[in-house]
Amino acid sequence: MAGLKTASGDYIDASWELSVAVEELGPEAEPLTLRVTGDVHIGGVMLQIVDKIKVKQNWSDHALWWEQKKLWLLKTNWTLDKYGLQADARLRYTPQHKPVRLQLPNRRMICVHASFSEPVFRAVAGICRVLSIRHAEELSLLRAPEEKDKKKRKGPVLGTEDEFDLSGVVLPATLPFLTGAEQQPFRGMPAHFSDSPATEACYRMLSVSWTGLTPEHVLKMPRPSSLVEKAQINSRWLSSSRSLMQQDVRENEQLWLRFKYYNFFDLEPKYDAVRITQLYEQARWAVLLEETESTEEEMMVFAALQYHINKLSLSADPTETAGEQGMDDLDSALSNLQVKLEGGTSTSDMLENLTTIPELKDYLRIFRPRKLTLKGYKQHWVVFKETTISYYKSREEALGEPVQQLNLKGCEVVPDVNISGQKFCIRLLVPSPEGMSEVYLRCEDEQQYARWMAGCRLAAKGRTMADSTYQSEVQNILSFLQLQRASPDAPVAPDAEAMGTQWLVSPRYQKKFKPKQLTPRILEAHQNVAQLSLTEAKMRFIQAWQSLPDFGISYFVVRFKGSRKDEILGIANNRLIRIDLAVGDVVKTWRYSNMRQWNVNWDIRQVAIEFDEHINVAFSSVSARCNIVHEYIGGYIFLSTRSNDKGRGLDEELFYKLTGGHEAL
């Protein structure tokens, strides 16, 4: 037993004094002094603390925090010697779960209890359980911008008017954790939201879009004006493999919860009311704040969808939606059963589909930009086979050598469309030894454009038009083009002026158009979406956002090995993009599918990646910590391993191995 003394009062054993501050006693209270030896285990120290405090309460969530090492002492069977604790250690006995204030993707504030002792990856999973958001691996936390970085704005900031409180919600341990499984609803919502009117109001805030936006709200929000400013946003992400406490996050500190990885898995309206709404909100703000670039026609489509969603949200009841979707599921199941009983495709057709890869052959106009040349298109006979485009001077010469052959695997595919001007172009940036070779394909009409655009997108991913997603890709492109087509005879809705339309577009278009010009254009576009339900409109908005060229690219300022200037690295869900910082042009693209390995030299903070054909890329991060870039790449590769099996949980250890580097575990 520690603390044996002689008659003179001297200690004769190997015991020493350990100082522990107890948070419940207040900041002014003196730390407790415990007499311990090195072979005392952590659990025994905690028992001594509770005995000495003599306060009756539930201490099960408390643990010891070692301030100098920034380490939680969670292994209660370990001894002080095993942890390396000595008399100079400063310990705090503190709760593992503390309140944090989160700004959600819809810019509303909510207070929740989050784990400060587990890695952020698990802490976010716990937060998402409370918020009823499946697939928490797609989200993460980032720090709010510092006040000194914000421009002075008059009036309240969006989201601070009403703050919702879910800090008292405690979920049973039987709920699924780190899986895509759904929570069973009660009265049309997750059971823990039906406890009180306050929690029901919170669920409505989470699952129904807020309709109180004004143009001033949009103008007050900070928006990035360059790629460098977009890169600065990504410097604030917290590390997923370390705890909040280890990253100096304080109790009641404001953090942002956002979708970090643009790889949205298994969106199911029946179970994902909150997830779809928050995803729509993040997409909406990305468009309004011009984080994702869009053309004027595309902006009018986004405005029309917002206008429609706003109208339906005024009378939306999230609990009724769940009931309707239950019937939809039954109808869908019966429909699938009917298809199976009747037989979908004959065996001969299936074999033909397996052995025959569809091809595209047509006359297209092609332009290859060169220095000191005007932009002139020339008509060619173009053959699209597997992932390769070959073009000839005429159809008759197709049996001979092509003028040029382009392998689209790993290329960048950018739409260049103007519906009113009947311009349907596909801009291809094809990898070459010198960099990216630029080629424009101009189609005659929407149908031709949709077929060739869908083929190019699949070829860029290394897939052919035999892929099962080809037809759906064609239909998605056609439906998005249809949304942009104006209806000149559209009647003006009587509530359009009252509701206001200026907040539906980004500040650039607020300045360009007066309200009298803007409202008719939005209402014209609205005719194409007026029949959509609320959930369908949100899903259509998300799909339209995903079709934008700049969608899902996270930017970082980096310095490539051997280069003397800073450049931009874009990280997407399937590729890395090297971008010229001065002009914003794509210099090179590398696909994850061609990646052999990557590693990080933590001493010099340099990421090195090896691709097929002995291509090696190395760079150091300038705008963010090296581990943030490393985590993005590893995170996307981890998400590609997800399975449709809902009962199968995520491989958390694999995530830490791919993203944590030297900090993993």
Side-chain angles (χ1 to χ4, degrees):
M1 183 177 177
L4 292 175
K5 297 181 181 180
T6 63
S8 61
D10 297 322
Y11 289 98
I12 59 171
D13 57 4
S15 65
W16 39 275
E17 290 186 342
L18 181 66
S19 177
V20 182
V22 181
E23 212 159 89
E24 272 69 16
L25 300 180
E28 304 299 326
E30 288 292 323
L32 297 180
T33 301
L34 307 176
R35 195 80 194 175
V36 295
T37 58
D39 58 359
V40 175
H41 53 77
I42 297 297
V45 173
M46 293 165 65
L47 284 173
Q48 286 190 51
I49 294 170
V50 173
D51 288 341
K52 202 159 188 176
I53 296 172
K54 295 180 180 177
V55 175
K56 290 185 177 180
Q57 69 171 63
N58 185 353
W59 297 98
S60 60
D61 189 48
H62 282 60
L64 288 169
W65 167 254
W66 189 355
E67 292 186 4
Q68 295 105 315
K69 296 281 188 181
K70 289 191 175 181
L71 180 69
W72 283 97
L73 308 181
L74 299 177
K75 296 178 179 177
T76 54
N77 60 329
W78 278 28
T79 63
L80 300 182
D81 282 344
K82 193 168 184 178
Y83 266 118
L85 274 160
Q86 296 179 353
D88 60 347
R90 294 196 306 273
L91 302 184
R92 280 169 58 195
Y93 193 52
T94 181
Q96 297 178 59
H97 290 78
K98 303 172 187 286
V100 289
R101 299 169 60 242
L102 297 179
Q103 189 199 73
L104 301 174
N106 63 356
R107 271 45 178 188
R108 310 305 296 277
M109 296 296 300
I110 190 167
C111 182
V112 297
H113 254 79
S115 172
F116 274 61
S117 61
E118 295 178 303
V120 165
F121 182 75
R122 288 186 69 88
V124 170
I127 291 169
C128 288
R129 287 174 73 210
V130 173
L131 301 182
S132 191
I133 298 176
R134 297 191 310 147
H135 297 293
E137 66 275 9
E138 298 168 358
L139 298 93
S140 193
L141 298 171
L142 66 164
R143 296 184 188 276
E146 296 180 12
E147 291 293 333
K148 64 180 180 181
D149 294 335
K150 298 178 182 177
K151 296 178 181 178
K152 293 182 179 178
R153 300 176 181 86
K154 296 179 181 179
V157 178
L158 175 62
T160 59
E161 296 91 340
D162 298 308
E163 188 165 320
F164 295 83
D165 189 2
L166 284 180
S167 59
V169 172
V170 178
L171 297 184
T174 54
L175 280 178
F177 191 60
L178 289 177
T179 72
E182 60 277 352
Q183 300 177 20
Q184 294 303 318
F186 175 71
R187 288 188 350 206
M189 66 182 78
H192 60 279
F193 283 108
S194 60
D195 292 342
S196 68
T199 53
E200 288 184 12
C202 186
Y203 182 70
R204 179 177 176 81
M205 177 274 292
L206 291 167
S207 57
V208 179
S209 297
W210 190 45
T211 58
L213 276 182
T214 65
E216 289 73 27
H217 278 135
V218 179
L219 290 170
K220 284 177 186 176
M221 297 294 288
R223 59 185 186 277
S225 58
S226 65
L227 288 175
V228 174
E229 290 189 10
K230 290 180 182 179
Q232 288 171 351
I233 296 172
N234 291 316
S235 68
R236 305 201 310 267
W237 289 106
L238 296 177
S239 171
S240 295
S241 56
R242 304 176 70 208
S243 69
L244 293 175
M245 201 84 157
Q246 287 174 312
Q247 300 179 73
D248 299 319
V249 175
R250 299 183 301 277
E251 186 175 335
N252 286 312
E253 183 173 335
Q254 184 187 140
L255 300 172
W256 287 8
L257 179 69
R258 295 288 188 273
F259 287 89
K260 179 178 182 179
Y261 300 106
Y262 298 91
N263 193 344
F264 314 125
F265 187 69
D266 186 30
L267 278 174
E268 176 57 61
K270 180 180 179 182
Y271 303 113
D272 288 331
V274 175
R275 184 177 171 216
I276 289 172
T277 298
Q278 296 302 319
L279 189 52
Y280 156 72
E281 290 287 346
Q282 184 158 328
R284 171 165 75 151
W285 282 107
V287 171
L288 289 178
L289 300 179
E290 298 172 358
E291 293 172 4
T292 309
E293 296 289 335
S294 58
T295 64
E296 186 176 306
E297 288 179 330
E298 289 165 345
M299 182 61 73
M300 295 307 148
V301 171
F302 288 123
L305 285 166
Q306 287 179 80
Y307 172 72
H308 186 62
I309 291 167
N310 202 46
K311 281 181 66 176
L312 297 180
S313 296
L314 289 170
S315 56
D317 184 351
T319 61
E320 289 180 3
T321 312
E324 293 170 6
Q325 285 160 352
M327 292 304 296
D328 290 342
D329 284 349
L330 180 59
D331 293 340
S332 175
L334 291 172
S335 174
N336 290 336
L337 180 61
Q338 183 181 357
V339 169
K340 288 178 182 177
L341 291 173
E342 292 176 355
T345 312
S346 67
T347 307
S348 59
D349 289 344
M350 287 178 67
L351 289 173
E352 185 179 352
N353 290 339
L354 287 171
T355 57
T356 306
I357 297 176
E359 297 178 10
L360 290 176
K361 299 178 181 179
D362 216 336
Y363 277 107
L364 298 178
R365 283 179 287 170
I366 295 179
F367 169 67
R368 298 200 65 193
R370 290 183 175 88
K371 290 182 179 179
L372 304 175
T373 59
L374 298 174
K375 195 167 187 175
Y377 286 88
K378 290 184 179 179
Q379 184 165 283
H380 290 85
W381 177 254
V382 188
V383 178
F384 195 163
K385 186 175 182 180
E386 295 185 355
T387 62
T388 302
I389 283 180
S390 307
Y391 62 90
Y392 307 82
K393 288 184 177 180
S394 66
R395 184 172 185 174
E396 290 72 26
E397 297 183 16
L399 295 175
E401 287 294 316
V403 175
Q404 190 181 18
Q405 202 168 53
L406 302 170
N407 190 342
L408 303 190
K409 191 174 181 181
C411 78
E412 288 292 301
V413 183
V414 183
D416 185 7
V417 176
N418 186 317
I419 299 289
S420 58
Q422 287 297 295
K423 176 186 176 185
F424 303 99
C425 286
I426 303 169
R427 181 180 176 226
L428 300 174
L429 296 169
V430 185
S432 66
E434 298 78 27
M436 301 297 279
S437 178
E438 191 174 20
V439 181
Y440 286 83
L441 307 179
R442 184 154 187 168
C443 304
E444 288 297 322
D445 53 33
E446 294 179 14
Q447 294 291 335
Q448 188 185 53
Y449 169 81
R451 293 194 302 272
W452 285 80
M453 186 65 172
C456 289
R457 285 179 174 171
L458 286 173
K461 301 173 185 175
R463 303 178 195 168
T464 69
M465 286 170 280
D467 193 272
S468 60
T469 60
Y470 174 69
Q471 290 300 331
S472 61
E473 185 71 32
V474 172
Q475 291 305 315
N476 287 338
I477 293 168
L478 286 172
S479 63
F480 188 45
L481 292 175
Q482 182 61 35
L483 291 179
Q484 298 178 59
R485 189 171 293 284
S487 304
D489 301 326
V492 177
D495 59 345
E497 293 294 341
M499 190 178 289
T501 53
Q502 271 200 298
W503 65 271
L504 301 171
V505 296
S506 64
R508 177 157 47 116
Y509 294 107
Q510 288 183 25
K511 294 173 184 176
K512 184 175 181 179
F513 297 107
K514 296 178 181 177
K516 289 183 179 179
Q517 297 172 307
L518 201 56
T519 301
R521 290 199 60 182
I522 293 174
L523 292 175
E524 283 176 14
H526 178 249
Q527 297 306 301
N528 297 320
V529 300
Q531 304 305 315
L532 297 176
S533 69
L534 180 57
T535 302
E536 288 171 342
K538 290 176 182 176
M539 291 293 286
R540 188 67 63 88
F541 192 102
I542 294 167
Q543 290 165 0
W545 178 47
Q546 289 175 304
S547 70
L548 296 178
D550 292 341
F551 162 77
I553 302 176
S554 304
Y555 299 99
F556 296 88
V557 180
V558 300
R559 177 74 61 90
F560 282 91
K561 187 177 181 180
S563 175
R564 294 184 177 181
K565 62 179 183 179
D566 290 345
E567 296 177 76
I568 295 290
L569 177 72
I571 302 179
N573 66 345
N574 57 1
R575 67 199 188 282
L576 300 176
I577 309 163
R578 185 174 183 174
I579 302 170
D580 189 301
L581 180 57
V583 294
D585 289 345
V586 174
V587 177
K588 193 79 175 174
T589 298
W590 304 281
R591 295 267 163 182
Y592 296 150
S593 56
N594 298 330
M595 186 187 294
R596 286 186 174 183
Q597 64 175 355
W598 88 98
N599 58 72
V600 181
N601 185 328
W602 296 106
D603 294 329
I604 60 174
R605 303 289 175 181
Q606 185 180 79
V607 180
I609 308 173
E610 182 185 347
F611 294 93
D612 291 340
E613 301 176 0
H614 305 291
I615 297 173
N616 294 290
V617 178
F619 57 85
S620 55
S621 179
V622 176
S623 63
R625 300 188 312 277
C626 186
N627 66 301
I628 295 179
V629 179
H630 170 58
E631 187 173 305
Y632 254 106
I633 297 171
Y636 275 125
I637 292 173
F638 170 76
L639 293 184
S640 69
T641 67
R642 290 185 293 186
S643 166
N644 286 319
D645 183 3
K646 293 186 177 181
R648 178 184 166 193
L650 290 174
D651 188 345
E652 192 178 353
E653 299 299 319
L654 177 62
F655 176 82
Y656 295 136
K657 286 178 182 177
L658 289 172
T659 64
H662 71 306
E663 295 171 341
L665 306 178

